[in-house]
Amino acid sequence: MGVVKTLQERLIRSAATVDSSVTLLADFQRWFRERADADESRVEIIPFEQMRGWAFAPDTHNLVHETGRFFSVEGIRVRMPGAPVEEWRQPILHQPEIGILGILVKDFDGVPHFLMQAKMEPGNHGGLQLSPTVQATRSNYTRVHKGRAVPYVEYFQQAERHRVLADVRQSEQGSWFFHKRNRNMLVEVAPETDVEVRDGFRWLTLGQMHHLLAVEDLVNMDARSVLACLPHSPPAPQETTFPAPRAHSRHRDADILSWITGLRTEREVFTERIPLRETASWHRGTHRISHESGRFFSVMAVDVTAGGREVGGWTQPMIEPHGPGVAAFLLAYADQVPHVLVQARAEPGYTDVVELAPTVQCTPRNYTHLPEGATPPFLREVVEAPAERVRFDTVLSEEGGRFFHAFNRYLIVETEMSAVPEEPSHYRWMAVRQLLDLIRHSHYVNVEARTLIACLHSLAV
């Protein structure tokens, strides 16, 4: 218990530190702007035929790399009885290898600092974003591309030499990825360990990162996901202890687990990988593979010139969403204990049927052609909430390595628990502590909900 308490106290101290002797927030902001201004990276949308090392397979029309590594664009057939649309086919990214998303942690004067990097990804709207220490696929850190080694990866490959704070495989977008997982890690080195700060990296406190989360399109998805996996978190607003006492949860832990297990057992979700050429209603042009309705997303290709990366240039396919999304938690307090309304959401690419998702998670324009009853529950409550109830509201982008200009508006809207007195079958009020407990395990909390957990922590700043 002493070690856990010491770690929690140190993280609380880090969350309360917005300026440190290592990095002043204003100095970081100036440094980041200068790097962004100096970044000469270029991303150009190109016809598929101009991709280097990528080609459509003659038999399946799957879009694959000549090495057989990295990822591929394939097709999937989906059947979800009871969903607004019960059957469909679509392209999907298949990336079976598991990458590393890792943040290195070190104490300076008793305050934990996190080594973050300014990293360019081809799908980023503004070029550089604040990223984990290591953000690399297995193909990248094993140097399939024959480029430079990934900096700092040895700390995570040999984590047993240090102190592991978190190490869990987490899923990513189940609508665009098939069974995608990444290893989310936080590894702490001893204070006396000499860690060279390479060009493009800076030590930041938890409080500084919480402050930066409120800046539009700055902290990338992978950093948000890893930060949500921290084993202990600082006090949330209106709380004196956090995580909250178990007795104050709306539902017992065992009942929450039974609810999830029951839905995973009873919910019918059938998915089958199929050749890309069999995705009916999707048509391939010179530059894009798109749905005939113009909705959902497209598959397109880019030519990238990048500075500061392991490889200076490459081409690749990407997913391009059609329209911004909304991801929001309804937040309520019971005896000063924060609860969020979660939904058990099924997506075709999930490994285990459903995962816990935000109260609202959707791209609104994808529902305009469906009957009114198909509109996601609580959408109006979050997007039309009065300003005094909106606790967090920032547009953040999704993973820029695979998605081109993919944005979600992330919201946390405070309400009363009595506003949802009877939870719909796929929704539950969960104490934030319960959600944090489940983040320690794989395939329970989806990537959008993990972002919102990181945002919820930032409200304490």
Side-chain angles (χ1 to χ4, degrees), residues 320-336:
E320 180 186 34
H322 292 183
V326 174
F329 267 147
L330 286 178
L331 168 72
Y333 290 85
D335 297 327
Q336 296 190 332

Side-chain angles (χ1 to χ4, degrees), residues 51-55 64-67 315:
M51 287 192 297
R52 302 181 297 276
W54 293 85
V64 297
H65 193 262
E66 61 187 4
T67 62
T315 62

Side-chain angles (χ1 to χ4, degrees), residues 78-359:
V78 185
R79 187 162 64 88
M80 285 191 188
V85 176
E86 295 192 336
E87 296 187 29
W88 72 91
R89 300 182 184 196
Q90 66 168 83
I92 200 161
L93 302 182
H94 184 218
Q95 185 173 331
E97 61 184 34
I98 297 173
I100 293 176
L101 308 178
I103 296 179
L104 203 60
V105 185
K106 182 180 176 180
D107 258 22
F108 294 90
D109 299 324
V111 178
H113 287 62
F114 300 74
L115 188 60
M116 309 299 290
Q117 67 168 313
K119 186 179 180 70
M120 173 270 179
E121 291 286 3
N124 293 352
H125 184 266
L128 299 185
Q129 291 183 355
L130 192 61
S131 308
T133 317
V134 170
Q135 177 183 314
T137 66
R138 181 173 177 81
S139 291
N140 284 338
Y141 67 74
T142 57
R143 301 171 71 178
V144 171
H145 48 49
K146 298 181 173 59
R148 295 190 299 272
V150 174
Y152 304 107
V153 71
E154 65 275 10
Y155 289 97
F156 303 94
Q157 291 179 305
Q158 302 165 9
E160 68 279 359
R161 298 183 180 182
H162 310 285
R163 183 184 182 191
V164 177
L165 302 183
D167 188 357
V168 59
R169 293 191 309 171
Q170 298 285 15
S171 66
E172 297 193 2
Q173 286 84 355
S175 294
W176 297 333
F177 278 123
F178 184 78
H179 293 183
K180 174 70 160 31
R181 293 95 71 208
N182 269 324
R183 191 176 180 184
N184 286 231
M185 304 180 71
L186 289 121
V187 173
E188 184 176 26
V189 299
E192 62 271 17
T193 302
D194 184 21
V195 178
E196 176 190 1
V197 180
R198 296 172 179 255
D199 186 42
F201 292 79
R202 283 291 185 274
W203 289 107
L204 296 175
T205 67
L206 198 53
Q208 289 171 329
M209 287 189 290
H210 286 166
H211 181 90
L212 296 170
L213 269 170
V215 179
E216 184 171 309
D217 203 25
L218 177 59
V219 180
N220 84 348
M221 184 197 83
D222 297 318
R224 304 188 308 257
S225 177
V226 177
L227 290 173
C229 296
L230 272 169
H232 294 275
S233 302
Q238 302 183 23
E239 281 195 84
T240 55
T241 58
F242 191 74
R246 296 175 188 272
H248 293 288
S249 303
R250 170 81 173 258
H251 300 283
R252 297 187 313 128
D253 292 2
D255 292 336
I256 289 290
L257 289 172
S258 179
W259 169 66
I260 297 169
T261 302
L263 289 173
R264 287 176 168 177
T265 302
E266 298 165 7
R267 182 74 188 269
E268 293 183 305
V269 178
F270 304 98
T271 59
E272 177 188 1
R273 289 167 58 198
I274 60 173
L276 187 58
R277 61 178 170 80
E278 294 182 8
T279 51
S281 303
W282 294 81
H283 306 290
R284 187 173 103 198
T286 58
H287 286 73
R288 285 173 173 79
I289 302 171
S290 301
H291 193 266
E292 60 189 14
S293 68
R295 289 186 292 269
F296 311 120
F297 62 88
S298 293
V299 178
M300 39 84 83
V302 294
D303 189 339
V304 185
T305 303
R309 292 290 298 262
E310 294 79 30
V311 175
W314 69 91
T315 62
Q316 67 169 90
M318 302 195 81
I319 292 283
E320 180 186 34
H322 292 183
V326 174
F329 267 147
L330 286 178
L331 168 72
Y333 290 85
D335 297 327
Q336 296 190 332
V337 174
H339 286 64
V340 289
L341 186 64
V342 303
Q343 63 165 309
R345 179 180 174 89
E347 294 187 1
Y350 285 161
T351 299
D352 201 356
V353 187
V354 300
E355 294 192 13
L356 300 181
T359 316

